[in-house]
Amino acid sequence: MNEQHSDQITADLAIVGAGMVGLALALALALAPSGRRICLLEQRPGDSETWLEQLAEQPSQHYDPRVSALNLASVRLLEQLGAWASIQNQYRACAYRDMKVWDGEGSGRIHFSADALHEECLGYIVENSVIQAGLLQQLTRYDNLQLLTGIGLKQLSAPHEDGSRLLELSDGRRLSVPLVVGADGALSRTRQLSGVGATEWDYGHHALVTTITTEREHGETCWQRFTEDGPLAFLPLAGDRHKSSIVWSTSPEHARELMALSDDAFRQALVRASDECLGGVLESAERKLIPLRQRHAHHYVETGLALVGDAAHTIHPLAGQGVNLGFMDAAALADVIEAAWARGEAIAEERVLRRYQRQRRSANLCMSAAMESFRRLFAPQPAPVRLLRSCGMNLMDRLEPVKQHLVLQAMGLSGELPQRLQRQVT
């Protein structure tokens, strides 16, 4: 529920940031039988009803340029929270059944197929605003969940003797809670105020995103070409089989050149860069540019503090795993907190919170390292390296067991998953 302004705020846990990951964590904890009070702080003004109305007022042909490639573990979490039914029935989500990846500077190709895995799909392409709307709709189900909007975090105290933290809010109010969770994005104010350091560097890439209409249907397929400047992805959208979202990661100089082009010249550049995989590009919406940086917090937890999602880590979008890692963080932390509540443990204790860090930090570091390796592998290389790269891609495409192992992990069907997201074997 949305909480009106009052002098006193009481809660058993505070989450800073009501984006996709913060909302998912709040709802997962609100579901717990403990009935603990959860306070969700969001700097954006307004309320959930207004945000949902604004989305409903958008014409059906309007698409959010920011999309996520949800794997099946993330979908399982959204199902448990009640959000997935809303996303599918009231909004839209596009299941993709194939993924075709090729080397634009060589002859290497890999094709991933849901049919080969005997699965209905590999995942879903969903607009970020739609995911958030599906989660927002669930807020009214819980009286123990407060959403406070238009409020930022001004100060965060060191832990008190009992491990609790004092939050000073931008409207002058204070909130003392056993645990504060930072889910407030890559430039996390929570992380900064807590003094938790992060290793970060510039990828040397900007991501250009927009929505396009193509001559040929997308065929429920994700298309990704590694160009000389960076990866270009066509991601299928629901509602119109000729609509796709593009994510073009390229050098800052090339990105600025693309942004400066006329719509017609940009569409022609897009056709050339994509090897005409979907024919001509007939229409393109407004383009947006997102600078890309890698970040990883030195640690995710301290006494009375935990970081999740982009507040803890950001990675290159070339494999579309960013939001999935955030949802896995939310599910793992919810598992740890619920178990601690059930055992009567203090959730502020660092030894308790380290259970979450042990689950997620190594997995996130491995994914970050893999994305960095791919990025470097497909950077401009001498001809012999390009030849080896293409041979390696073609070999992997023929090694079905290896390929299936990789894609099952990306789909969230294997590997170390939070307990609540593990697939039940029947």
Side-chain angles (χ1 to χ4, degrees):
M1 65 179 180
N2 292 297
E3 181 75 4
Q4 300 300 316
H5 190 288
S6 63
D7 294 330
Q8 183 67 30
I9 309 175
T10 58
D12 296 297
L13 180 146
I15 301 170
V16 182
M20 293 182 286
V21 174
L23 282 168
L25 176 60
L27 291 169
L29 292 172
L31 275 168
S34 66
R36 304 298 175 103
R37 294 163 298 175
I38 300 153
C39 183
L40 184 57
L41 305 173
E42 172 55 45
Q43 193 165 9
R44 184 168 46 139
D47 54 52
S48 58
E49 290 81 6
T50 301
W51 299 335
L52 289 169
E53 287 172 3
Q54 290 172 347
L55 182 61
E57 290 170 359
Q58 294 280 4
S60 60
Q61 64 269 26
H62 173 83
Y63 289 83
D64 184 353
R66 299 291 297 270
V67 303
S68 293
L70 296 180
N71 66 20
L72 301 186
S74 292
V75 171
R76 199 171 304 127
L77 176 63
L78 293 171
E79 287 175 340
Q80 293 171 6
L81 303 179
W84 188 244
S86 297
I87 289 171
Q88 285 197 303
N89 299 332
Q90 292 183 246
Y91 300 106
R92 56 196 174 198
C94 183
Y96 63 95
R97 294 173 171 80
D98 293 273
M99 177 179 290
K100 297 183 179 181
V101 182
W102 69 103
D103 185 353
E105 298 298 294
S107 59
R109 292 180 177 272
I110 301 180
H111 177 205
F112 300 101
S113 169
D115 289 342
L117 300 168
H118 306 290
E119 297 287 343
E120 291 186 5
C121 65
L122 298 176
Y124 292 83
I125 304 299
V126 191
E127 297 150 80
N128 288 4
S129 59
V130 166
I131 299 171
Q132 190 158 18
L135 292 164
L136 284 170
Q137 286 191 342
Q138 307 309 308
L139 292 181
T140 55
R141 296 170 53 190
Y142 305 101
D143 292 333
N144 61 326
L145 176 54
Q146 299 175 323
L147 171 63
L148 304 179
T149 61
I151 297 175
L153 181 59
K154 187 176 179 182
Q155 292 294 334
L156 176 65
S157 77
H160 298 152
E161 285 189 11
D162 62 355
S164 65
R165 300 267 186 157
L166 179 66
L167 288 73
E168 293 188 20
L169 307 181
S170 58
D171 65 353
R173 288 184 286 178
R174 294 185 174 191
L175 171 62
S176 181
V177 289
L179 177 63
V180 56
V181 180
D184 45 347
L187 301 178
S188 171
R189 177 76 170 159
T190 309
R191 187 186 68 233
Q192 293 170 8
L193 289 174
S194 69
V196 174
T199 299
E200 62 179 280
W201 65 84
D202 196 316
Y203 275 123
H205 271 180
H206 286 0
L208 187 154
V209 297
T210 189
T211 303
I212 61 170
T213 305
T214 56
E215 183 180 8
R216 293 201 290 268
E217 295 184 354
H218 54 59
E220 297 176 325
T221 300
C222 291
W223 308 78
Q224 186 169 57
R225 178 181 186 256
F226 285 94
T227 75
E228 62 274 13
D229 292 304
L232 167 62
F234 281 35
L235 308 175
L237 293 172
D240 185 336
R241 294 175 66 86
H242 292 269
K243 294 284 188 184
S244 295
S245 177
I246 71 153
V247 182
W248 194 344
S249 300
T250 186
S251 66
E253 297 78 12
H254 187 221
R256 286 191 288 269
E257 292 173 3
L258 292 172
M259 290 293 290
L261 294 176
S262 67
D263 287 347
D264 185 58
F266 171 72
R267 291 193 288 267
Q268 292 177 24
L270 194 54
V271 170
R272 289 193 298 271
S274 66
D275 286 340
E276 300 185 58
C277 63
L278 294 178
V281 177
L282 308 179
E283 296 177 358
S284 57
E286 180 184 1
R287 288 159 257 165
K288 293 189 176 181
L289 206 57
I290 306 164
L292 301 178
R293 287 184 68 81
Q294 193 276 353
R295 295 179 181 86
H296 211 113
H298 294 162
H299 47 270
Y300 292 2
V301 302
E302 289 183 346
T303 301
L305 173 76
L307 302 173
V308 295
D310 284 355
H313 48 81
T314 59
I315 64 172
H316 199 285
L318 68 88
Q321 289 296 311
V323 72
N324 296 312
L325 297 181
F327 281 149
M328 297 308 102
D329 290 351
L333 183 57
D335 284 346
V336 167
I337 291 172
E338 286 182 19
W341 279 338
R343 287 192 290 260
E345 295 178 307
I347 62 171
E349 290 188 13
E350 190 171 342
R351 69 173 182 84
V352 172
L353 296 171
R354 279 179 180 167
R355 298 167 192 164
Y356 154 67
Q357 179 169 279
R358 283 194 294 270
Q359 283 188 56
R360 295 301 309 153
R361 191 163 188 271
S362 59
N364 291 333
L365 279 169
C366 286
M367 181 61 72
S368 178
M371 293 306 97
E372 179 63 11
S373 297
F374 273 115
R375 187 186 72 82
R376 294 187 181 190
L377 177 64
F378 286 95
Q381 301 285 1
V385 177
R386 294 200 303 269
L387 178 60
L388 287 172
R389 186 174 65 194
S390 290
C391 290
M393 290 181 71
N394 291 326
L395 177 62
M396 181 176 289
D397 193 46
R398 293 192 294 270
L399 294 175
E400 285 297 330
V402 175
K403 188 167 69 168
Q404 289 188 15
H405 173 74
L406 292 174
V407 75
L408 285 171
Q409 283 199 318
M411 291 168 65
L413 296 180
S414 68
E416 295 185 12
L417 294 172
Q419 184 176 356
R420 70 180 62 212
L421 300 184
Q422 293 173 9
R423 190 181 232 186
Q424 300 300 313
V425 179
T426 56

